[in-house]
Amino acid sequence: MARVFISHASADRALAVRIRGWLCEAGHTVFLDADLHAGLQVGDALADRLFAELYRADALVAVVTAAFETSQWCAAEVGIARANGLRLLPVRVGPAVSHRLVSTETHWTELTGDGTKARKALVEALRQLDSSGGPPWSAALPVYPGLPPFEAGQARVFFGRRQDSRRLAKELRAPAGPAGGGLLAVVGPSGCGKSSLLRAGLGPLLAAEADWLVLAPLRPTDDPYADPTSALARLLAAEGRRRTLGWSTNQVAVGLNQPGGLAGLVADLLADAAPARHLLLIVDQAEELFTRTGKADLRRFAALLADAAGGPVRTVVTIRSEFLDPLSSLAAQVGLPLASFVLRPLSREALPLVITGPARHAGITVEDELVARMIDDTGGGDALPLLAFVLNQLAKNVTRGGALSGERYTELGGVHGALAGQADVALADAAAATGRGTGDVLGGLLRLVTIDDAGQVTRRRAELASLPGPVRTELDVFVARRLLTIHDPAEIPGAAPDSTGPVIDIAHEQIFTAWPPLAAAVTAHADSLRLRSRATDAAADWHRTDRPASHLWDLSRASTALHTLNPADLTPATRTFLAASRRHGQRRRLRATAILTTLLLLATTGGIIAWIQRADALRQQKLATARSLVTQAEQLRSTNIGQALKLNLAAEKLTPNDETRNSLAATLINTPLTASIDDDQYVTAAAFS
């Protein structure tokens, strides 16, 4: 619920009391100076009390009448509200009244008749303020968020990007072209403030306009059973439940799978949020779509956005510069119009406002000399997360009326030394907490790191329940020093409602380069981190497609992964996938071995049989030839003894058996001639008996 300040002229007190009643009934906390209990009290310093209440408020309702136009007090209150980034909700009482300090882009509510229309508009505007993400900022909260991005509730202490927010809003307000609204990508290097711009700049700016319904930012998840489409379903269902639609996640998921499903669901939401005509969908850190999402799910999500591009849905994403080409390729594949908004790092001239603006809101003093030192140490806007971190550390325990200390800044090591120094202390404390070595602690931190095939290092969430006890104890030390962040699934847009518990991740990717021990550990384990990333992605695809054998890895790859990776660092889904891949590979290898053995045996047996058959054929051929020679010899025995002897000798040599030997013996017995027969059949010697 929001804190609301009602600004009114004295003559319009009755109207202000009436409006206060509406807002209190809706559950909001309202400050009205005429309120006997919470308003101005005897002895209050008027200006100081009003100033303090304006700093605490989330929105200012201005009861704009003819008396309001001429009131100096009312002008001062509106001016302070604008300077503090409060949501302005002007209520016009009378057709001709206005106010010079209220922007023409701000939606005016008309108070006519019984006020039902005005009441509904105010309650809806404050509901949008609640649902646009993050609790409202107050002086009791940290004025500098540190490594995490600014949220919608911190819009009033978000400085340096006002012009960029307005330029983005102008592009989104422009009528859609022939190809439809499409996708607007906010592109820039890591650490330039893209997430904060959309969360605390663009989102609250458009949410203040009656034409826009702004959803909480959607960040891709690495849940192996989830995909961007299901995350979108949960986000839409949550918004529907905040209204009168009462949607369940399953209902929305079924609706998204229908032709034109997203456009239809958005139409129902906008009808309930009238007079809103456009819905803004923010996808933060869209590079995680390419590092954590399967190709089929990624394409389906992009196709869903393309299908709704011509309607009331406007989608804006933040993405690192190196991922713009893959995004462009994906958009072209599904016919999704894509435009880019290049976000440059903050200029050096803008840094003083980043430092002093939030401090003024919190009533904290920052000496000019300290501001100059921090700007010199920061150098440029690319080190913005480091500056935010050191400011967060400097402002700890500093209350209104206090000052940021230059001495403390020196102790922290300046902009670049603060993060590394904080991490060094956390590393030593974590090792001491469990008695393990610093290498083991860094190994636990690597559970929160992933590397894609292109070598890009990104964050990876892990469920706390999946961490071993010592690792959990060590990471808690880093959480206490704001280097890691724990999220309740209920606080993460798109998170599965049946998640097993809170998740933990690194507060900002800047730590990968700013802290040498972790940077060295990432480099040393790059191959295993890349392998783990591939295994996780493959496991996700396998589970999402009902575990087909065709998606499993081969035995060699699965065995390498199981041998290389620590099972404790893998998700249950990934362990199941690798184990199934190994079993499947082993079964395939056994089958292949059996088949090869059988084929070899068959080939060997067939060869022996063929050899035997060939040998038998040759023997039969020799026998037939020898018999033919014997027959010829017997025919020539009486007429040409020499030729007969040659034929008998050839037959006996070819097939030495009884038949050929007997024929030769008969030829020799039946002739009285003993001679040496040469090749020319001449008798060279003879003897008679």
Side-chain angles (χ1 to χ4, degrees), residues 81-94:
R82 290 190 59 186
N84 284 311
L86 270 67
R87 179 76 57 85
L88 289 180
L89 302 174
V91 179
R92 195 197 318 263
V93 185

Side-chain angles (χ1 to χ4, degrees), residues 480-501:
R481 293 186 176 274
R482 296 183 180 274
L483 299 172
L484 304 180
T485 305
I486 293 178
H487 306 277
D488 189 306
E491 299 171 357
I492 304 174
D498 55 352
S499 176
T500 57

Side-chain angles (χ1 to χ4, degrees), residues 189-492:
S190 178
C192 71
K194 302 183 295 296
S195 295
S196 295
L197 172 63
L198 263 59
R199 291 170 178 264
L202 175 68
L205 182 61
L206 289 181
E209 302 178 15
D211 276 354
W212 287 87
L213 173 61
V214 179
L215 297 183
L218 185 152
R219 177 181 169 187
T221 175
D222 58 348
D223 178 357
Y225 296 102
D227 58 68
T229 303
S230 61
L232 176 61
R234 287 190 289 272
L235 186 64
L236 292 171
E239 183 64 26
R241 286 192 295 270
R242 274 194 289 266
R243 299 183 176 278
T244 61
L245 302 174
W247 286 343
S248 70
T249 301
N250 287 338
Q251 286 177 316
V252 176
V254 171
L256 287 176
N257 287 324
Q258 305 300 317
L262 178 56
L265 291 167
V266 169
D268 290 341
L269 273 178
L270 293 177
D272 190 78
R277 297 184 298 115
H278 306 287
L279 179 137
L280 179 64
L281 173 63
I282 297 173
V283 181
D284 193 15
Q285 299 181 32
E287 60 269 6
E288 295 182 3
L289 290 170
F290 296 93
T291 61
R292 301 181 177 185
T293 303
K295 291 182 180 179
D297 290 330
L298 178 57
R299 185 181 177 88
R300 185 158 65 101
F301 181 64
L304 197 67
L305 298 180
D307 186 51
V313 181
R314 297 304 306 269
T315 304
V316 59
V317 305
T318 66
I319 193 164
R320 292 191 340 226
S321 306
E322 60 267 30
F323 285 91
L324 181 58
D325 286 345
L327 179 63
S328 300
S329 176
L330 175 66
Q333 291 174 22
V334 300
L336 174 61
L338 175 65
S340 60
F341 181 97
V342 179
L343 186 65
R344 307 291 182 188
L346 273 178
S347 66
R348 183 182 177 91
E349 291 72 24
L351 293 180
L353 185 60
V354 172
I355 299 170
T356 60
R360 284 201 304 270
H361 277 271
I364 296 173
T365 302
V366 189
E367 297 294 337
D368 292 342
E369 181 182 354
L370 178 57
V371 173
R373 286 179 62 190
M374 285 191 281
I375 292 173
D376 287 340
D377 289 349
T378 303
D382 54 344
L384 204 58
L386 301 182
L387 176 62
F389 179 80
V390 75
L391 284 169
N392 174 269
Q393 298 299 302
L394 284 173
K396 276 187 176 180
N397 302 320
V398 179
T399 58
R400 179 173 292 277
L404 300 187
S405 167
E407 182 179 348
R408 174 61 178 156
Y409 179 74
T410 301
E411 291 176 0
L412 289 171
V415 170
H416 287 272
L419 180 60
Q422 187 83 337
D424 285 338
V425 174
L427 179 61
D429 290 348
T434 60
R436 301 202 308 162
T438 56
D440 294 325
V441 177
L442 290 170
L445 286 170
L446 289 179
R447 294 168 179 263
L448 309 180
V449 181
T450 187
I451 300 180
D452 64 14
D453 288 339
Q456 298 296 329
V457 182
T458 56
R459 296 176 291 187
R460 171 180 179 256
R461 285 177 180 161
E463 291 188 347
L464 287 177
S466 69
L467 301 175
V471 174
R472 169 67 186 275
T473 300
E474 292 161 357
L475 296 187
D476 280 343
V477 177
F478 288 86
V479 171
R481 293 186 176 274
R482 296 183 180 274
L483 299 172
L484 304 180
T485 305
I486 293 178
H487 306 277
D488 189 306
E491 299 171 357
I492 304 174

